[in-house]
């Protein structure tokens, strides 16, 4: 299990972020200037609205301290390649989805460590493990930002090869993600079963609320329908692998996944089930 946590987990996240970078070009980062309103709405939904909704969910369902930290962690993690694929399935604005993913993923090197450190202290109090924002930021850079940048550079200098290996990296990342989720649940099965009556409904409710809030915010700002669909998906679909990885870094456990990782592992499954009806609706409208 220690090999899974210390080697496979960060490696799988790095591969996921590399696959994200290989699918990006430098133009994806500059495209935000061409759609500033839609990008601003999407960024506000992800960075501000999402954590507020997660906090309200934690309080409404009366979740325990470590589970509450885990729910907050998943709310800090941008969607990554998963949200891009779902936006494509929903016939949304894929360019907007990719641009949001590119910029927010890079911004997460700052936002995630700061917000994660706050959540740990806020919910766990005197029982909180010592969390170094600097150490988390460095780890975030190494396993998320750096692979994205390397992927973008690879796409720039070898576009043909990048296009060919992108689906291979995506499939590999998916397989590793499934392994991590299964291991996280298996390693905390007793805690999972104990918290499932509250945790399951809480995560499903949070996911539904986020998809609706993202859509409502975009439509309230008079964005086009395809942009509204994308912002809804970007708000509701999160990078569960990043959440599990951050939980491991925060807890410092080398043997077994911590309870903090459970919400990300469960959300990594339920978000597909919750998003499916929305995608079907989006495709048919």
């Amino acid at each position: 299990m220690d090999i899974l946590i210390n080697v496979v987990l960060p490696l799988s996240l790095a591969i996921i972020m590399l696959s994200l970078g290989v699918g990006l070009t430098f133009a994806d980062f500059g495209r935000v200037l061409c759609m500033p309103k839609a990008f601003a709405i999407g960024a506000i939904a992800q960075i501000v609205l999402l954590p507020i909704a997660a906090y309200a969910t934690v309080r409404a369902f009366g979740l325990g301290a470590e589970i509450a930290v885990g729910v907050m962690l998943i709310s800090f993690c941008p969607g990554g390649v998963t949200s891009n694929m779902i936006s494509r399935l929903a016939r949304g604005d894929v360019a907007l989805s990719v641009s949001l993913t590119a910029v927010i993923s890079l911004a997460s090197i700052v936002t995630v460590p700061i917000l994660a450190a706050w959540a740990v202290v806020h919910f766990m109090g005197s029982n909180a493990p010592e969390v170094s924002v600097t150490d988390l930021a460095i780890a975030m850079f190494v396993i998320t930002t750096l692979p994205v940048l390397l992927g973008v550079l690879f796409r720039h200098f070898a576009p043909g090869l990048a296009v060919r290996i992108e689906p291979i990296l995506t499939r590999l990342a998916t397989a590793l993600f499934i392994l991590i989720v299964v291991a996280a649940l298996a390693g905390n099965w007793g805690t999972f079963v104990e918290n499932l009556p509250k945790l399951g409904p809480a995560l499903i409710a949070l996911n539904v609320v986020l998809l609706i809030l993202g859509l409502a915010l975009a439509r309230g700002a008079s964005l086009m329908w395809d942009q509204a669909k994308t912002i809804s998906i970007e708000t509701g679909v999160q990078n569960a692998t990043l959440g599990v990885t951050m939980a491991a870094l925060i807890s410092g456990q080398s043997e077994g996944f911590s309870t903090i990782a459970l919400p990300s592992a469960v959300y990594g499954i339920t978000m597909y089930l919750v998003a499916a009806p929305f995608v079907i609706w989006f495709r048919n409208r």
Side-chain angles (χ1 to χ4, degrees), residues 3 26 31 36 68 76 95 102 120 147 149 226 277 283:
I3 294 178
F26 288 109
R31 192 180 291 117
F76 304 148
V120 169
L149 294 176
D226 59 342
R283 284 181 62 87

Side-chain angles (χ1 to χ4, degrees), residues 44-56:
I44 290 172
Q46 288 194 58
I47 297 175
V48 179
L49 184 63
L50 213 163
I52 292 175
Y55 186 87

Side-chain angles (χ1 to χ4, degrees), residues 7 27 37 71 83 106 110 151 175 192 196 227 230 239 248 255:
V7 179
K37 182 178 179 181
V71 172
S83 62
L106 292 185
V110 175
F192 169 66
L196 186 59
Q227 293 177 329
T230 291
N239 188 340
E255 297 181 2

